[in-house]
PDB file of all heavy atoms in Angstrom:
ATOM      1  N   PRO A 158       4.739 -18.392 -19.299  1.00  0.00           N
ATOM      2  CA  PRO A 158       3.531 -18.757 -20.051  1.00  0.00           C
ATOM      3  C   PRO A 158       3.369 -17.947 -21.325  1.00  0.00           C
ATOM      4  O   PRO A 158       2.801 -18.430 -22.307  1.00  0.00           O
ATOM      5  CB  PRO A 158       2.398 -18.457 -19.058  1.00  0.00           C
ATOM      6  CG  PRO A 158       2.975 -17.475 -18.091  1.00  0.00           C
ATOM      7  CD  PRO A 158       4.430 -17.842 -17.981  1.00  0.00           C
ATOM      8  N   ALA A 159       3.871 -16.720 -21.334  1.00  0.00           N
ATOM      9  CA  ALA A 159       3.719 -15.876 -22.523  1.00  0.00           C
ATOM     10  C   ALA A 159       4.454 -16.473 -23.722  1.00  0.00           C
ATOM     11  O   ALA A 159       4.022 -16.327 -24.859  1.00  0.00           O
ATOM     12  CB  ALA A 159       4.236 -14.469 -22.237  1.00  0.00           C
ATOM     13  N   TYR A 160       5.567 -17.150 -23.465  1.00  0.00           N
ATOM     14  CA  TYR A 160       6.337 -17.715 -24.576  1.00  0.00           C
ATOM     15  C   TYR A 160       5.524 -18.760 -25.327  1.00  0.00           C
ATOM     16  O   TYR A 160       5.523 -18.823 -26.552  1.00  0.00           O
ATOM     17  CB  TYR A 160       7.636 -18.329 -24.069  1.00  0.00           C
ATOM     18  CG  TYR A 160       8.491 -18.854 -25.189  1.00  0.00           C
ATOM     19  CD1 TYR A 160       9.314 -17.999 -25.912  1.00  0.00           C
ATOM     20  CD2 TYR A 160       8.445 -20.185 -25.559  1.00  0.00           C
ATOM     21  CE1 TYR A 160      10.073 -18.459 -26.970  1.00  0.00           C
ATOM     22  CE2 TYR A 160       9.201 -20.661 -26.611  1.00  0.00           C
ATOM     23  CZ  TYR A 160      10.005 -19.795 -27.319  1.00  0.00           C
ATOM     24  OH  TYR A 160      10.751 -20.262 -28.367  1.00  0.00           O
ATOM     25  N   ARG A 161       4.792 -19.573 -24.583  1.00  0.00           N
ATOM     26  CA  ARG A 161       4.004 -20.613 -25.228  1.00  0.00           C
ATOM     27  C   ARG A 161       2.753 -20.038 -25.897  1.00  0.00           C
ATOM     28  O   ARG A 161       2.230 -20.587 -26.843  1.00  0.00           O
ATOM     29  CB  ARG A 161       3.626 -21.676 -24.202  1.00  0.00           C
ATOM     30  CG  ARG A 161       4.831 -22.515 -23.801  1.00  0.00           C
ATOM     31  CD  ARG A 161       4.585 -23.301 -22.526  1.00  0.00           C
ATOM     32  NE  ARG A 161       5.691 -24.204 -22.248  1.00  0.00           N
ATOM     33  CZ  ARG A 161       6.885 -23.815 -21.815  1.00  0.00           C
ATOM     34  NH1 ARG A 161       7.131 -22.539 -21.617  1.00  0.00           N
ATOM     35  NH2 ARG A 161       7.833 -24.699 -21.580  1.00  0.00           N
ATOM     36  N   ALA A 162       2.270 -18.900 -25.387  1.00  0.00           N
ATOM     37  CA  ALA A 162       1.046 -18.323 -25.941  1.00  0.00           C
ATOM     38  C   ALA A 162       1.314 -17.543 -27.226  1.00  0.00           C
ATOM     39  O   ALA A 162       0.504 -17.566 -28.141  1.00  0.00           O
ATOM     40  CB  ALA A 162       0.383 -17.416 -24.899  1.00  0.00           C
ATOM     41  N   ASP A 163       2.419 -16.844 -27.296  1.00  0.00           N
ATOM     42  CA  ASP A 163       2.692 -16.001 -28.455  1.00  0.00           C
ATOM     43  C   ASP A 163       4.205 -15.901 -28.634  1.00  0.00           C
ATOM     44  O   ASP A 163       4.859 -15.079 -28.015  1.00  0.00           O
ATOM     45  CB  ASP A 163       2.068 -14.615 -28.261  1.00  0.00           C
ATOM     46  CG  ASP A 163       2.192 -13.756 -29.528  1.00  0.00           C
ATOM     47  OD1 ASP A 163       3.023 -14.078 -30.385  1.00  0.00           O
ATOM     48  OD2 ASP A 163       1.449 -12.780 -29.629  1.00  0.00           O
ATOM     49  N   LYS A 164       4.756 -16.706 -29.508  1.00  0.00           N
ATOM     50  CA  LYS A 164       6.209 -16.752 -29.660  1.00  0.00           C
ATOM     51  C   LYS A 164       6.766 -15.462 -30.243  1.00  0.00           C
ATOM     52  O   LYS A 164       7.931 -15.142 -30.046  1.00  0.00           O
ATOM     53  CB  LYS A 164       6.603 -17.950 -30.528  1.00  0.00           C
ATOM     54  CG  LYS A 164       6.360 -19.294 -29.847  1.00  0.00           C
ATOM     55  CD  LYS A 164       6.945 -20.438 -30.648  1.00  0.00           C
ATOM     56  CE  LYS A 164       6.756 -21.754 -29.925  1.00  0.00           C
ATOM     57  NZ  LYS A 164       7.375 -22.897 -30.634  1.00  0.00           N
ATOM     58  N   LYS A 165       5.963 -14.705 -30.971  1.00  0.00           N
ATOM     59  CA  LYS A 165       6.457 -13.446 -31.521  1.00  0.00           C
ATOM     60  C   LYS A 165       6.597 -12.384 -30.439  1.00  0.00           C
ATOM     61  O   LYS A 165       7.502 -11.562 -30.465  1.00  0.00           O
ATOM     62  CB  LYS A 165       5.501 -12.958 -32.607  1.00  0.00           C
ATOM     63  CG  LYS A 165       5.444 -13.855 -33.841  1.00  0.00           C
ATOM     64  CD  LYS A 165       4.503 -13.285 -34.882  1.00  0.00           C
ATOM     65  CE  LYS A 165       4.468 -14.177 -36.122  1.00  0.00           C
ATOM     66  NZ  LYS A 165       3.517 -13.660 -37.146  1.00  0.00           N
ATOM     67  N   LEU A 166       5.672 -12.397 -29.483  1.00  0.00           N
ATOM     68  CA  LEU A 166       5.685 -11.393 -28.428  1.00  0.00           C
ATOM     69  C   LEU A 166       6.599 -11.778 -27.274  1.00  0.00           C
ATOM     70  O   LEU A 166       7.202 -10.922 -26.641  1.00  0.00           O
ATOM     71  CB  LEU A 166       4.257 -11.189 -27.904  1.00  0.00           C
ATOM     72  CG  LEU A 166       4.061 -10.229 -26.731  1.00  0.00           C
ATOM     73  CD1 LEU A 166       4.434  -8.815 -27.174  1.00  0.00           C
ATOM     74  CD2 LEU A 166       2.611 -10.271 -26.262  1.00  0.00           C
ATOM     75  N   ALA A 167       6.733 -13.071 -27.029  1.00  0.00           N
ATOM     76  CA  ALA A 167       7.397 -13.539 -25.820  1.00  0.00           C
ATOM     77  C   ALA A 167       8.842 -13.101 -25.656  1.00  0.00           C
ATOM     78  O   ALA A 167       9.243 -12.771 -24.541  1.00  0.00           O
ATOM     79  CB  ALA A 167       7.299 -15.050 -25.731  1.00  0.00           C
ATOM     80  N   PRO A 168       9.688 -13.104 -26.695  1.00  0.00           N
ATOM     81  CA  PRO A 168      11.073 -12.677 -26.467  1.00  0.00           C
ATOM     82  C   PRO A 168      11.179 -11.308 -25.818  1.00  0.00           C
ATOM     83  O   PRO A 168      12.018 -11.085 -24.944  1.00  0.00           O
ATOM     84  CB  PRO A 168      11.672 -12.706 -27.876  1.00  0.00           C
ATOM     85  CG  PRO A 168      10.904 -13.765 -28.578  1.00  0.00           C
ATOM     86  CD  PRO A 168       9.503 -13.632 -28.060  1.00  0.00           C
ATOM     87  N   ALA A 169      10.321 -10.376 -26.201  1.00  0.00           N
ATOM     88  CA  ALA A 169      10.353  -9.047 -25.579  1.00  0.00           C
ATOM     89  C   ALA A 169       9.953  -9.123 -24.116  1.00  0.00           C
ATOM     90  O   ALA A 169      10.545  -8.454 -23.262  1.00  0.00           O
ATOM     91  CB  ALA A 169       9.421  -8.102 -26.344  1.00  0.00           C
TER      92      ALA A 169
END
Side-chain angles (χ1 to χ4, degrees):
Y160 183 82
R161 288 164 174 73
D163 187 342
K164 291 188 177 183
K165 294 181 179 178
L166 177 65

